[in-house]
Amino acid sequence: MEQSLRDKLDGLDTIVGVLMGGLAVQLHPIPGPVPVVQVSIEGREELPIYVTCSDSQILCLCYLWNDSEVLAERRTELLETLLDLNPSVPLSSFGRVGERYVLFGALALNARPADIAEDIAALSDNALDALEALSEFLQ
Amino acid sequence: MSMIKKVVTLLRGSAREIAENVVDANATRIYEQEIIDAKQSILEARSSLADVMAREMQAGRAVTRLEGEIAHFESLALEALNKTQEALAEEVAGKVAALEQDLEEQRKARQSFASQVSQLKELIKAAEAKIREHEREIAIAKTTESVYKATQSISDNIGHSGSRLASARESLERIKQRHEHLADRLQASEQLDRELGDKALASKLAEAGIGQDANRQRQVMERLRARQAKPTDDQ
């Protein structure tokens, strides 16, 4: 499985770099029970994208913030904003995994590296935009 | 219980519990077995379907043939009656009666094959729906598991590497600062290019004897000569 994810991501760093206007992109596998590859984009190292895959799909995830960082008095407003915003964000959706808010994109298992790269570039841009737009809800 | 309902129930627990419990090994195995069984029954139903459809077509052809023969012999019987050949007409009527019996049997067979065809098609449709449903349930469970396990791995990895996860605001600030720095550098380098470009242009102009710099020396000499000619003016 690990090997198959790496095969799928073959050449991804180069394609993402080209898509993002020549930025340096690095891939690092993350050890663990499920295949995960970290994608670091030059200048945005604090907001890496993680790619993982199950038997049915490829998921690209960007962790935005933790529940504990949300201003308690504006929590409901933030959640409603995320729901409202969701359909407008191209290729990415908001979600939460445990304590962490995420922006993610899902692709079919047979997606080509170019499709995955496009999703990652969109995800990175969307995450940065979303973080900036929604930082008023955070401590 | 549907898989989404199960995930909703599990969401009330901890992230670790979700990762560990969402794929119930037993339930998944049952689903996977049911998918295998359903695929097998589709294969069998498809092969019977082809056979039954072929038989239905055969019965259909027999019905058409028998209807033709009956019409043919009936017209012969009529002709015999017209020629007052009663005995012959009787004999042909016997033939028609036998053919009618065959026709009835073939019609019944065709009807029965047709209903088998629709039953088999229903069976295939149901099996396909079951496969799709189970595959979706397994996909929900496995995707949930992989997302939670991946998040766990990523957290563990950040923990091991010793670097603490910065808050979102801090991250955003750092990225923005870096971008501003980059933008400043770009601006500075553009300015530098411009300045260097200006100087290069000015010196080219001077070389060509154009502009203020070109005749500055001459102007100074003219001023000095003028002072030399009238030394008393200054005193």
Side-chain angles (χ1 to χ4, degrees):
Chain A
M1 181 59 118
E2 184 71 51
Q3 190 53 47
S4 87
L5 180 62
R6 263 191 249 171
D7 289 346
K8 282 186 212 309
L9 304 188
D10 190 34
L12 189 77
D13 40 357
T14 316
I15 310 175
V16 175
V18 170
L19 275 179
M20 306 210 59
L23 295 180
V25 175
Q26 285 181 315
L27 306 181
H28 307 280
I30 303 279
V34 290
V36 184
V37 170
Q38 178 178 330
V39 183
S40 297
I41 299 167
E42 181 190 350
R44 299 175 178 187
E45 288 81 358
E46 288 82 359
L47 270 181
I49 309 291
Y50 295 95
V51 184
T52 183
C53 82
S54 69
D55 292 350
S56 55
Q57 60 181 348
I58 298 170
L59 272 177
C60 305
L61 295 154
C62 184
Y63 295 94
L64 298 172
W65 56 76
N66 242 2
D67 232 350
S68 60
E69 293 173 53
V70 177
L71 292 172
E73 67 277 15
R74 302 199 61 192
R75 196 160 180 277
T76 309
E77 202 188 335
L78 169 66
L79 297 179
E80 288 193 347
T81 307
L82 291 177
L83 277 179
D84 293 340
L85 204 53
N86 236 354
S88 309
V89 186
L91 301 180
S92 320
S93 311
F94 291 105
R96 198 173 58 173
V97 182
E99 301 277 286
R100 294 176 164 202
Y101 286 72
V102 296
L103 194 66
F104 69 96
L107 295 126
L109 268 188
N110 58 5
R112 299 164 306 152
D115 300 323
I116 306 174
E118 197 182 332
D119 203 73
I120 288 173
L123 197 54
S124 178
D125 291 341
N126 291 336
L128 201 55
D129 269 5
L131 207 53
E132 191 157 19
L134 301 169
S135 65
E136 60 168 299
F137 295 100
L138 305 177
Q139 281 168 7
Chain B
M1 182 161 48
S2 87
M3 193 50 76
I4 288 187
K5 212 165 179 180
K6 184 176 177 186
V7 174
V8 169
T9 310
L10 284 171
L11 282 174
R12 296 188 188 121
S14 72
R16 192 176 285 278
E17 276 172 358
I18 297 169
E20 280 165 9
N21 297 330
V22 68
V23 176
D24 176 338
N26 218 10
T28 310
R29 215 173 301 127
I30 292 169
Y31 280 155
E32 280 168 348
Q33 189 54 50
E34 285 187 9
I35 290 173
I36 293 170
D37 293 348
K39 283 185 174 164
Q40 186 57 36
S41 70
I42 287 177
L43 272 182
E44 285 163 14
R46 285 234 166 95
S47 122
S48 321
L49 186 61
D51 188 44
V52 176
M53 282 170 87
R55 284 162 184 265
E56 188 193 359
M57 284 191 278
Q58 280 165 14
R61 277 197 297 271
V63 166
T64 315
R65 178 179 52 79
L66 288 167
E67 283 169 346
E69 282 183 27
I70 288 167
H72 173 65
F73 281 110
E74 276 184 353
S75 70
L76 291 180
L78 267 176
E79 229 178 291
L81 275 178
N82 288 340
K83 291 182 178 167
T84 63
Q85 298 269 352
E86 285 288 333
L88 195 55
E90 197 71 44
E91 202 177 317
V92 177
K95 173 85 180 163
V96 169
L99 285 171
E100 275 180 353
Q101 214 168 358
D102 278 358
L103 178 64
E104 202 177 323
E105 274 167 25
Q106 289 299 339
R107 278 189 176 145
K108 273 189 192 155
R110 188 180 59 177
Q111 184 57 41
S112 147
F113 291 137
S115 82
Q116 280 184 52
V117 165
S118 66
Q119 270 174 18
L120 285 168
K121 282 184 176 168
E122 283 302 316
L123 194 143
I124 291 171
K125 228 190 277 175
E128 277 171 348
K130 191 178 213 173
I131 291 172
R132 237 187 4 258
E133 176 61 15
H134 284 343
E135 281 180 343
R136 196 179 59 88
E137 306 251 314
I138 292 176
I140 293 172
K142 291 204 168 164
T143 301
T144 308
E145 180 190 44
S146 83
V147 168
Y148 278 83
K149 285 197 170 160
T151 302
Q152 192 61 48
S153 303
I154 292 158
S155 303
D156 291 349
N157 189 62
I158 291 166
H160 283 311
S161 66
S163 62
R164 263 171 49 87
L165 197 64
S167 82
R169 265 186 179 281
E170 286 166 6
S171 299
L172 180 64
E173 277 318 307
R174 267 187 242 165
I175 294 171
K176 274 166 78 178
Q177 272 173 18
R178 215 179 283 128
H179 279 208
E180 276 163 19
H181 178 66
L182 190 70
D184 287 347
R185 264 181 54 184
L186 272 175
Q187 203 185 342
S189 100
E190 273 173 21
Q191 199 177 331
L192 201 62
D193 278 354
R194 229 180 4 254
E195 282 171 10
L196 290 176
D198 286 350
K199 270 189 190 159
L201 185 64
S203 64
K204 272 189 202 163
L205 284 169
E207 273 170 34
I210 300 165
Q212 274 195 330
D213 288 350
N215 50 15
R216 183 156 286 165
Q217 192 181 336
R218 188 165 46 82
Q219 285 168 355
V220 170
M221 279 310 289
E222 278 171 8
R223 201 168 65 230
L224 290 175
R225 288 220 171 86
R227 273 173 63 180
Q228 195 189 26
K230 290 192 250 172
T232 50
D233 280 7
D234 287 343
Q235 287 168 0

